[in-house]
Amino acid sequence: MENKYYYLDRDGRVQGPLWLSVMRDLWKAGRLMMSTEVSLTGTSGWERIEFHPEIFEPESKLPALKRIAV
């Protein structure tokens, strides 16, 4: 089962739960920034989005050999 994400919007309100694909869409649309605080289901803490490269670097989930080819 894939984790779902939560983020704090500019007004400090919790948004979510959201799938990774939705988080990527928000990133691409400029609604999330490196300073955006993110949390995953099953965790109690918040981290800056910069610690979640799977959101802003979709190829980070690919095996190493495929990343080299890209």
Side-chain angles (χ1 to χ4, degrees), residues 13-65:
R13 293 177 300 209
V14 176
Q15 302 295 320
L18 303 168
W19 295 106
L20 176 58
S21 60
V22 175
M23 294 294 286
R24 288 178 176 165
D25 290 343
L26 290 170
W27 172 260
K28 289 176 189 172
R31 304 248 334 258
L32 303 176
M33 302 163 68
M34 284 293 184
S35 60
T36 302
E37 296 284 325
V38 174
S39 183
L40 292 168
T41 52
T43 63
S44 59
W46 294 87
E47 297 179 310
R48 291 168 54 108
I49 204 169
E50 66 185 306
F51 297 108
H52 295 274
E54 70 276 9
I55 296 171
F56 57 89
E57 294 179 359
E59 65 275 2
S60 68
K61 288 279 188 177
L62 297 173
L65 293 176

